[in-house]
Amino acid sequence: MIGWGARVTEPERPVLLEYLATHFGVTRPQPAPSPAGAELLGTRCHVCHDSALIDQQRLNVDGWRREIGKMRAWGARLTDPEQATLADYLAVR
Amino acid sequence: MHSTVTAVKGAGTRRSFLAHVCRLGGAALLGTAGSRERAFGAQLPNDQLIIRSARPEDLETPPHLLTSWITPTELFYVRSHFYTPVIRETEWKLVIDGDVDRPFELSLGELRRLPSTSAVVTLECAGNGRAFFEPPVAGVQWEKGAVGTAEWQGVRLADILARAGVRRTARYLWLDGADRGIDRAPDFIRSLPLEKALDSTTLLAYQMNGEPLPVPHGFPVRVVVPGWEGAYSVKWLTHIRVSDSEHGGTFTQAGYRRPRRPVKPGTIVDAADTVPVRELPVKSLITSVAHDAVVALGVVRIAGFAWVGDAEIRRVDVSIDNGRTWEETRLGRDRAPYAWRQFEYLWRPRETGSYAVLSRATDSRGRVQPIVAEWNPAGYLWNAVDQVRLNVRLE
């Protein structure tokens, strides 16, 4: 419906989805890819190689956590919470 | 003289680009990968290769381009863990030390003056086929073409070791190249068991298909360890350290290992329960026809290559009826102890339609290519029966 022209702002989305889920049994969507995740990917990951090595992977969130852990050991600069955010992002995007 | 690879066709632009990256030094580490990476990609030796990664450089050969027993150098797959080092021919030297009586150094000129030999050897990346494992595993998502065959010329590693006088305690060679781990990544060092190092076909190669080794393939010298997964064939070799133990680094203790016993797909396996990946398993690859090819009703040439690390290929069968029946193919005349063998089968379809063409190799020890590849956490040694789709039309 948003695609059909209805106007829903970004902050309104979760509220509306929650309402639809409770009242009409609409299934809750997968967590949307977070802008924070995209930002981390763009600033911390394309340092030593480009995105091709990342884009071709088919990992789930656990796989991504481990892979990002390896990259941190090799020099990628992320905190633990950032690692979690990025793993979630890469698994759903 | 600055020239390192003048004999290599088309290497000029590439070399100047590498030199450029070198001058940038640390800056290359600090972002702006995008535009420069693309510029580099545009200067790759052959735009027919699939770029899995531009830098580090990982390039795959589309199988239908593998038409000859010897793979043309410009079509040969490239696998690099880290950035390609630039080595001046005049500055290169090889150090041999560790558990030897007479440690020594060799210049390239000295190495080239030693008695040399050549061998046709197939190299395959351990991760070739990783893209087909389910559940997926991390790593370069190679499909079928991280394999190729070249004629390598160089000095027998055994001769070098004889000159150094290997001590009784020696069991492994630690092989190190001029590439370095990026930032905090560990150096790429592999350990080769002494017994395999003494195999008369294990070479320190400085020529590939009659030309000096191209930079992406390890200029000026790479090891060629026949029959074993490609990572033993260390590129840009600078240091051989003889030791009584395996190297303790990432690329021997964590990488290039597989579970001792088959595991449930998706399992995380403790390093203590793993063994090093060594010999390449029996495998075949269909190179004609290309996957999903459309051909006119008539004779169809089904062909490809089969190889195995520690035996000979005995036969290759193909099936065009989803594996119900198999037909033996004709094996090519070209052969060498550690090289793949071509197979060919001429098929005359009676009807139009879309067919799965399968190939299955059997080696001289009776081992048959499996229908299902053994899942392992790093996605090594995919060797399931190969399959392409063939569409036969009237026109």
Side-chain angles (χ1 to χ4, degrees):
Chain A
M1 273 156 275
I2 297 179
W4 293 352
R7 282 208 197 119
V8 180
T9 63
E10 212 31 65
E12 287 166 357
R13 255 176 77 100
V15 184
L16 183 61
L17 287 168
E18 185 62 35
Y19 172 81
L20 290 170
T22 326
H23 295 271
F24 301 98
V26 173
T27 38
R28 278 186 186 77
Q30 289 287 305
S34 75
E39 169 82 17
L40 289 169
L41 179 65
T43 54
R44 318 290 172 81
C45 297
H46 301 163
V47 179
C48 306
H49 51 77
D50 67 14
S51 59
L53 272 175
I54 298 166
D55 297 344
Q56 67 194 259
Q57 306 299 322
R58 305 168 292 134
L59 300 172
N60 62 18
V61 71
D62 291 331
W64 273 119
R65 283 207 186 109
R66 283 194 297 275
E67 182 63 29
I68 299 167
K70 173 179 165 185
M71 291 302 137
R72 284 177 74 187
W74 285 15
R77 303 219 171 103
L78 293 115
T79 62
D80 287 347
E82 284 172 340
Q83 174 168 350
T85 305
L86 179 58
D88 288 345
Y89 169 76
L90 288 167
V92 302
R93 70 171 177 156
Chain B
M1 198 181 77
H2 286 196
S3 167
T4 49
V5 284
T6 35
V8 180
K9 279 185 235 90
T13 45
R14 164 190 207 80
R15 188 172 63 245
S16 49
F17 179 76
L18 284 171
H20 177 62
V21 169
C22 244
R23 270 198 304 282
L24 290 172
L29 284 174
L30 300 168
T32 68
S35 58
R36 208 174 313 132
E37 232 60 91
R38 266 193 297 282
F40 186 75
Q43 292 172 50
L44 292 169
N46 191 313
D47 58 11
Q48 292 171 289
L49 298 181
I50 302 160
I51 303 173
R52 298 282 172 217
S53 172
R55 221 170 65 91
E57 195 174 33
D58 296 311
L59 312 176
E60 176 171 347
T61 317
H64 69 276
L65 298 182
L66 295 168
T67 55
S68 51
W69 186 57
I70 299 216
T71 311
T73 303
E74 63 275 14
L75 287 178
F76 207 99
Y77 81 95
V78 175
R79 165 67 174 130
S80 319
H81 284 266
F82 301 117
Y83 302 150
T84 304
V86 186
I87 300 171
R88 295 244 162 93
E89 176 163 342
T90 46
E91 283 160 21
W92 180 88
K93 62 177 190 201
L94 175 64
V95 175
I96 296 110
D97 60 11
D99 282 2
V100 295
D101 291 330
R102 298 173 294 275
F104 67 97
E105 290 180 11
L106 270 178
S107 71
L108 193 57
E110 287 166 332
L111 185 74
R112 286 199 183 122
R113 282 191 291 277
L114 295 177
S116 74
T117 179
S118 66
V120 177
V121 170
T122 296
L123 291 185
E124 184 186 19
C125 173
N128 195 22
R130 181 178 289 123
F132 305 122
F133 280 108
E134 289 296 337
V137 297
V140 178
Q141 298 294 298
W142 302 106
E143 292 181 8
K144 297 180 179 184
V147 61
T149 298
E151 185 189 27
W152 310 94
Q153 189 190 333
V155 176
R156 287 198 176 97
L157 183 49
D159 293 351
I160 300 288
L161 294 174
R163 178 165 159 188
V166 170
R167 297 206 173 128
R168 279 180 178 285
T169 47
R171 286 180 53 224
Y172 290 91
L173 268 58
W174 298 357
L175 306 172
D176 190 9
D179 54 337
R180 287 289 169 264
I182 301 166
D183 202 345
R184 295 207 301 266
D187 194 4
F188 182 74
I189 297 176
R190 298 281 293 142
S191 46
L192 178 67
L194 182 63
E195 199 183 83
K196 184 66 177 171
L198 295 173
D199 181 315
S200 65
T201 315
T202 300
L203 302 181
L204 300 188
Y206 47 76
Q207 290 215 344
M208 178 180 185
N209 295 338
E211 305 269 359
L213 268 183
V215 171
H217 294 292
F219 180 88
V221 175
R222 81 177 299 171
V223 189
V224 172
V225 179
W228 286 22
E229 60 82 19
Y232 286 97
S233 294
V234 170
K235 304 195 285 188
W236 312 294
L237 184 73
T238 52
H239 189 183
I240 298 175
R241 189 176 176 82
V242 181
S243 171
D244 61 357
S245 59
E246 269 222 311
H247 186 259
T250 305
F251 296 102
T252 43
Q253 299 309 315
Y256 298 105
R257 300 181 77 87
R258 60 185 175 84
R260 221 177 271 282
R261 280 172 291 278
V263 298
K264 187 173 145 87
T267 310
I268 294 168
V269 180
D270 195 77
D273 297 326
T274 62
V275 292
V277 173
R278 290 183 173 163
E279 293 86 2
L280 296 171
V282 62
K283 182 166 176 178
S284 66
L285 171 70
I286 300 167
T287 58
S288 163
V289 296
H291 178 62
D292 216 19
V294 178
V295 301
L297 194 61
V299 177
V300 184
R301 180 174 176 270
I302 294 163
F305 295 97
W307 63 95
V308 58
D310 55 355
E312 280 173 38
I313 290 299
R314 183 52 42 87
R315 60 186 284 165
V316 179
D317 298 276
V318 297
S319 173
I320 297 115
D321 57 4
N322 302 317
R324 286 187 194 89
T325 62
W326 294 83
E327 299 290 337
E328 186 166 357
T329 65
R330 203 167 52 83
L331 296 183
R333 226 173 276 146
D334 293 323
R335 58 199 294 181
Y338 293 105
W340 62 16
R341 194 94 188 260
Q342 195 159 28
F343 65 87
E344 184 182 70
Y345 178 72
L346 300 179
W347 181 50
R348 185 180 286 281
R350 283 202 204 93
E351 290 176 285
T352 58
S354 182
Y355 304 89
V357 178
L358 314 182
S359 71
R360 185 185 68 188
T362 303
D363 76 10
S364 52
R365 289 160 70 174
R367 292 172 300 190
V368 183
Q369 197 177 352
I371 294 170
V372 178
E374 189 71 55
W375 188 93
N376 59 95
Y380 294 133
L381 306 182
W382 170 274
N383 74 327
V385 160
D386 197 23
Q387 183 178 151
V388 297
R389 180 138 298 269
L390 168 63
N391 307 288
V392 181
R393 307 236 175 109
L394 269 183
E395 275 303 295

